[in-house]
Amino acid sequence: MMKAKFPKVIIGIFGLFLFSFWVNARAEWTEPVRISEPGGCLYPQIVAQGDTLHVAYTNTYGGSKVSYVRSGDYGIMWSEHQVLSDTVDSYNTYFPRIIVFNSNVIILWKATLEGGVNRKNIGYSISQDNGLTWSETDYIFYPNWEHILYFAAASSDSFVNIILNSRIGQDLVFFDVRSTDFGESWSEPEEIFRAAMSTMTDQVSYNNMVHYVWGGFFNWEESGDVYYMRSTDHGISWSENIMLSEDDNKISHSPAICVDERGNVACTWWDFKYSPYQTTGDVLIRQSFDQGENWLLEDQVTTEHRAIKSDVCWVGDSLFVVWYDRRFGPPTIYYVSS
């Protein structure tokens, strides 16, 4: 499989969940504001919908569950957190994804169900009033799957596209699942490609285009990089994978991707190459201004080397970033804006 290499850009995750607006390469940032319960919160996701910001994350207090908060004024005031995942028939519900269409919002998460041999699934809840109220938990697959590693989801209008990877023998197989009615029904999974290992993945849509990023490697001799591919037909067919991170034998993983109203794309990921620590690093970023055809050089956003995972979204000419930071003990979610 051909791997085209391009430079990358960096946005940093200081170990607090951070919301940040980012303009061009470098920008001023606001002071971090905590929007979750203190400590025990992981895997943040943020999506902008007009002046409303939707944030979902994993809350590990009293068992792993998916929580949600919203702001209706560009992040000035935030709601109380709300638990969306089923806490009766499932446990270990985590790794949430958010997608929006008009006033409709879907939050999906990876779930492990009680009992049985095949217990993995993707749970989801739908809001039809911009995140004010939510449906009961439903699941995409019947029956459950034996193994799901990571998944990513995105939508354009009523088209929803999900890419998940699942271990089958020695291979990690990437599957595509689609809905044409915003989560009311789902297609059968279709295989896209195979690799050896993957870290977290992310996905975003713009009109009929779907942009997908994943971190990992195709064979066990590689160190791990960030790859990108796109679809121009709502996920029916896909391009080859291209490498966004530098081929420098340093581990790059857990990418996040967003698109603005003009189709410009930004991708961030977690990288260890500047960090003296073993478990935390910095966030890097790259941009494309021709819908993923070509990419600008990589830029470094964080420099404290304490970042772990992030998410990014674009509003107008600004970027919001959320992340979690381990400088002060248990991870806590923060945001900044530029």
Side-chain angles (χ1 to χ4, degrees):
M1 184 171 294
M2 184 179 297
K3 308 174 201 173
K5 300 173 184 175
F6 298 94
K8 43 182 180 179
V9 185
I10 310 172
I11 271 188
I13 310 169
F14 278 114
L16 312 175
F17 270 112
L18 198 36
F19 225 154
S20 87
F21 276 132
W22 174 70
V23 182
N24 296 325
R26 299 270 180 171
E28 296 298 323
W29 297 86
T30 61
E31 288 297 316
V33 176
R34 178 171 60 83
I35 57 175
S36 74
E37 307 86 327
C41 299
L42 307 169
Y43 306 122
Q45 281 280 289
I46 182 171
V47 168
Q49 187 182 39
D51 57 0
T52 300
L53 303 175
H54 305 276
V55 175
Y57 57 93
T58 297
N59 180 347
T60 60
Y61 284 110
S64 179
K65 48 193 174 293
V66 172
S67 290
Y68 166 80
V69 295
R70 73 190 293 273
S71 171
D73 52 13
Y74 288 109
I76 297 174
M77 300 293 293
W78 291 86
S79 68
E80 295 293 323
H81 81 276
Q82 180 178 355
V83 175
L84 298 185
S85 57
D86 173 23
T87 58
V88 177
D89 297 321
S90 65
Y91 69 98
N92 234 10
T93 58
Y94 56 101
F95 193 54
R97 308 275 97 176
I98 309 176
I99 52 181
V100 298
F101 167 50
N102 294 333
S103 61
N104 302 303
V105 188
I106 302 179
I107 294 182
L108 307 99
W109 57 85
K110 181 178 171 181
T112 302
L113 303 186
E114 297 281 0
V117 177
N118 296 336
R119 296 184 295 163
K120 303 297 182 181
N121 215 315
I122 296 176
Y124 65 97
S125 180
I126 300 176
S127 172
Q128 297 178 332
D129 54 10
N130 205 24
L132 295 176
T133 61
W134 293 86
S135 68
E136 296 294 324
T137 296
D138 202 352
Y139 296 93
I140 291 179
F141 303 116
Y142 296 96
N144 299 321
W145 283 45
E146 180 179 3
H147 184 86
I148 296 175
L149 185 56
Y150 291 112
F151 78 96
S155 72
S156 58
D157 296 331
S158 61
F159 290 88
V160 179
N161 187 270
I162 295 175
I163 296 180
L164 64 98
N165 49 44
S166 180
R167 180 67 62 186
I168 299 180
Q170 297 298 313
D171 293 335
L172 188 66
V173 184
F174 289 71
F175 293 94
D176 183 85
V177 181
R178 291 182 304 280
S179 172
T180 61
D181 50 17
F182 206 72
E184 295 297 325
S185 60
W186 300 91
S187 69
E188 291 297 319
E190 298 180 3
E191 180 178 335
I192 308 174
F193 68 96
R194 297 191 175 210
M197 181 58 70
S198 170
T199 60
M200 294 175 64
T201 65
D202 200 15
Q203 182 174 304
V204 69
S205 294
Y206 177 78
N207 292 336
N208 62 333
M209 299 195 66
V210 187
H211 304 276
Y212 176 75
V213 287
W214 62 284
F217 44 82
F218 287 95
N219 61 72
W220 294 98
E221 285 71 42
E222 298 174 348
S223 60
D225 285 286
V226 170
Y227 292 92
Y228 163 82
M229 65 178 187
R230 66 177 185 171
S231 170
T232 60
D233 53 13
H234 294 292
I236 296 174
S237 60
W238 291 90
S239 69
E240 295 291 324
N241 281 281
I242 65 170
M243 186 188 295
L244 290 186
S245 57
E246 294 176 348
D247 190 8
D248 54 11
N249 294 319
K250 301 294 184 180
I251 298 175
S252 302
H253 60 82
S254 302
I257 194 167
C258 69
V259 63
D260 72 2
E261 58 190 9
R262 293 155 294 192
N264 301 317
V265 187
C267 175
T268 65
W269 64 89
W270 187 25
D271 198 296
F272 285 91
K273 63 184 177 182
Y274 302 115
S275 176
Y277 309 115
Q278 297 296 314
T279 58
T280 59
D282 292 293
V283 178
L284 310 182
I285 186 171
R286 290 187 69 180
Q287 291 183 93
S288 171
F289 291 100
D290 55 9
Q291 302 187 52
E293 189 71 28
N294 298 284
W295 292 82
L296 300 183
L297 296 178
E298 154 192 314
D299 192 17
Q300 184 178 355
V301 177
T302 60
T303 58
E304 296 293 326
H305 320 308
R306 288 299 191 180
I308 308 173
K309 299 182 179 64
S310 66
D311 194 31
V312 58
C313 75
W314 223 320
V315 181
D317 291 329
S318 300
L319 284 177
F320 288 96
V321 176
V322 289
W323 77 90
Y324 63 89
D325 198 302
R326 302 217 54 142
R327 286 175 294 174
F328 307 111
T332 303
I333 300 174
Y334 283 79
Y335 89 94
V336 293
S337 63
S338 168

